[in-house]
Amino acid sequence: MGSLNSEIRNKRYLLLFLLAAVTEFFPGCESEPPPVNIPDKGLKDYYIDYFPIGVAVSPSNLTLGTGERVIIDKEFNSLTAENVMKMGPMHPQENTYYWDDADKIVNFAIANNMKVRGHTLCWHSNTPSWILKNSDGTTVTKEVLLNRLKDHITQVVTRYKGKVYAWDVVNEAIDDNPAKIYRESSWYNICGEEYIAKAFQWAHEADPDALLFYNDYSTESASKRDKIYTFLKGLIDAGIPVHGIGLQGHWSVSWPSEAELRSAIVKYASLGIKIQITELDVSVYSNNEDFSVRTPGDDTFTADREQKQLDKYKMIFRVFRDYKSEITGVTFWNVSDKRSWLDNFPVTNRKNYPLLFDQNYNRKRVYFEVVNF
Ligand code: GLA
């Protein structure tokens, strides 16, 4: 019995020796995991060699047991706060900051090894009314407004320093009208264009490691694209710390074309900045036909709409993969077709189906096209 044991032990030593010799000569082979129990992959895993895949969430989406939470856990490795980091909810009065909701999202992301994009420090919409007014109701001066903006940016960016890796510093400051450059928002009307450069400088001072983005929509339409390019070039040439552009990606089955998308990416990348797709969804309604008017047959996810959306998503992800050196993040706006802001925009109460997961939280046919490469 004793000799049998020692024979087995000797064989085991021999095996271990051979294994050690093999791994010595073929380094790397020891790190191969056994091909068993490979977990079901999510979007983030399919795109691991490309870019993080994110999603915009509300704090309630993170509740354990909800359909949203199951999808978030499995599919995404980056989060954006859909609303709770905007100036209105976060800074409702001059000396009142409301952090709880944003903290929930940031802490959840950190605990789950996810990145966080901060959205957004300065936007014409969601500007709280107090910030534009003196206590007597008159409009503030440029100096007062810039001081308030500085305070807001400094407080928010400092709180999440080292936790939020990228900020949408200024959102939608460029006008859609080809005849105008800047959107004539209260920020612009009171401060002129200067508030934009200042916002980037203050964000950079508060967290020098954070990546700072200018974020906008219709960034692929030729006239807006060229305006944004010139505007960003001006900031970059003046030494303003702008590190990237966020293409919101609120697209539709009819827009943008592959050529428009490619030329926008190439043009912005030529500025030497990074590109992130920050608010991706693909409306099933067509921009150039019935986009903003209710028409018979709306609300239904017809086979035709499904196919057009599938083709569009397939194209845009193919383009994203082609530009993986320029694109450093892709974030979807909302989790599933159960609820999207497009259910009420641009037509109130018209059901849309813009995402990769259906109303029952299942992967749609389009999901499998996006991960099939
Ligand atoms: C813009 C904003 C987002 C969001 C969407 C609509 O794109 O940047 O924060 O409000 O509109 O939901």
Side-chain angles (χ1 to χ4, degrees), residues 194-227:
E194 197 182 325
Y195 80 95
I196 302 172
K198 293 273 186 217
F200 278 92
Q201 285 170 326
W202 294 324
H204 187 62
E205 279 165 23
D207 184 356
D209 293 329
L211 299 174
L212 305 182
F213 284 75
Y214 173 72
N215 194 49
D216 211 333
Y217 63 89
S218 294
T219 41
E220 304 71 37
S221 95
S223 74
K224 198 163 170 186
R225 178 198 66 204
D226 291 351
K227 271 194 295 187

Side-chain angles (χ1 to χ4, degrees), residues 81-83 86 119-120 123 126 168 171-172 215 217 248 250 279 333-334 341:
E82 182 183 2
N83 288 309
K86 291 172 180 168
H119 176 82
T120 171
W123 185 29
N126 243 286
D168 291 331
N171 199 28
E172 304 177 350
N215 194 49
Y217 63 89
Q248 289 186 359
H250 291 302
E279 305 184 20
W333 205 252
N334 298 129
W341 73 289

Side-chain angles (χ1 to χ4, degrees), residues 33-75:
V36 287
N37 287 334
I38 296 171
D40 187 17
K41 297 207 292 185
L43 289 167
K44 63 179 188 310
D45 308 303
Y46 290 103
Y47 279 90
I48 194 76
D49 294 328
Y50 290 84
F51 26 70
I53 305 279
V55 64
V57 296
S58 63
S60 65
N61 293 156
L62 307 178
T63 307
L64 211 52
T66 60
E68 285 84 5
R69 171 68 188 270
V70 173
I71 294 179
I72 291 164
D73 284 346
K74 176 167 287 201
E75 307 283 350

Side-chain angles (χ1 to χ4, degrees), residues 175 177-178 180-181 223-231:
D175 208 279
N177 179 346
K180 294 181 176 173
I181 298 177
S223 74
K224 198 163 170 186
R225 178 198 66 204
D226 291 351
K227 271 194 295 187
I228 293 175
Y229 170 88
T230 308
F231 150 73

Side-chain angles (χ1 to χ4, degrees), residues 37-312:
N37 287 334
I38 296 171
D40 187 17
K41 297 207 292 185
L43 289 167
K44 63 179 188 310
D45 308 303
Y46 290 103
Y47 279 90
I48 194 76
D49 294 328
Y50 290 84
F51 26 70
I53 305 279
V55 64
V57 296
S58 63
S60 65
N61 293 156
L62 307 178
T63 307
L64 211 52
T66 60
E68 285 84 5
R69 171 68 188 270
V70 173
I71 294 179
I72 291 164
D73 284 346
K74 176 167 287 201
E75 307 283 350
F76 300 104
N77 51 5
S78 176
L79 294 184
T80 301
E82 182 183 2
N83 288 309
V84 300
M85 279 189 171
K86 291 172 180 168
M87 195 185 266
M90 185 162 256
H91 197 172
Q93 282 156 35
E94 182 158 17
N95 296 313
T96 309
Y97 280 90
Y98 177 70
W99 305 114
D100 291 8
D101 283 340
D103 284 357
K104 270 183 210 149
I105 293 174
V106 172
N107 293 339
F108 174 90
I110 290 169
N112 290 283
N113 286 322
M114 301 168 111
K115 289 172 167 285
V116 188
R117 298 194 81 260
H119 176 82
T120 171
L121 297 170
C122 184
W123 185 29
H124 68 278
S125 182
N126 243 286
T127 296
S129 50
W130 68 264
I131 209 165
L132 305 171
K133 299 283 175 203
N134 296 306
S135 51
D136 63 2
T138 54
T139 300
V140 289
T141 60
K142 171 177 176 176
E143 194 193 1
V144 169
L145 189 55
L146 287 178
N147 274 334
R148 288 177 175 182
L149 180 61
K150 180 177 186 184
D151 173 65
H152 176 80
I153 290 176
T154 307
Q155 297 273 350
V156 174
V157 176
T158 303
R159 182 173 184 90
Y160 298 111
K161 187 173 180 202
K163 296 180 174 177
V164 166
Y165 85 104
W167 280 102
D168 291 331
V169 178
V170 176
N171 199 28
E172 304 177 350
I174 298 298
D175 208 279
D176 295 333
N177 179 346
K180 294 181 176 173
I181 298 177
Y182 296 100
R183 180 189 293 277
E184 287 165 12
S185 65
S186 303
W187 295 100
Y188 180 79
N189 289 336
I190 297 171
C191 304
E193 62 189 82
E194 197 182 325
Y195 80 95
I196 302 172
K198 293 273 186 217
F200 278 92
Q201 285 170 326
W202 294 324
H204 187 62
E205 279 165 23
D207 184 356
D209 293 329
L211 299 174
L212 305 182
F213 284 75
Y214 173 72
N215 194 49
D216 211 333
Y217 63 89
S218 294
T219 41
E220 304 71 37
S221 95
S223 74
K224 198 163 170 186
R225 178 198 66 204
D226 291 351
K227 271 194 295 187
I228 293 175
Y229 170 88
T230 308
F231 150 73
L232 290 177
K233 187 165 186 331
L235 290 177
I236 292 163
D237 288 349
I240 305 300
V242 179
H243 308 122
I245 175 163
L247 316 185
Q248 289 186 359
H250 291 302
W251 294 329
S252 81
V253 291
S254 64
W255 187 82
S257 68
E258 179 164 352
E260 286 171 314
L261 181 55
R262 284 185 188 274
S263 54
I265 293 171
V266 168
K267 182 134 196 168
Y268 297 128
S270 74
L271 290 166
I273 57 175
K274 292 300 178 192
I275 294 165
Q276 297 201 344
I277 317 304
T278 53
E279 305 184 20
L280 180 59
D281 46 26
V282 175
S283 167
V284 299
Y285 301 106
S286 168
N287 289 41
N288 44 27
E289 294 156 25
D290 55 356
F291 180 61
S292 59
V293 182
R294 180 176 278 283
T295 49
D298 282 357
D299 299 316
T300 318
F301 193 43
T302 59
D304 180 54
R305 288 180 176 141
E306 181 183 26
Q307 187 59 44
K308 284 184 176 146
Q309 184 188 54
L310 187 149
D311 293 342
K312 187 62 75 176

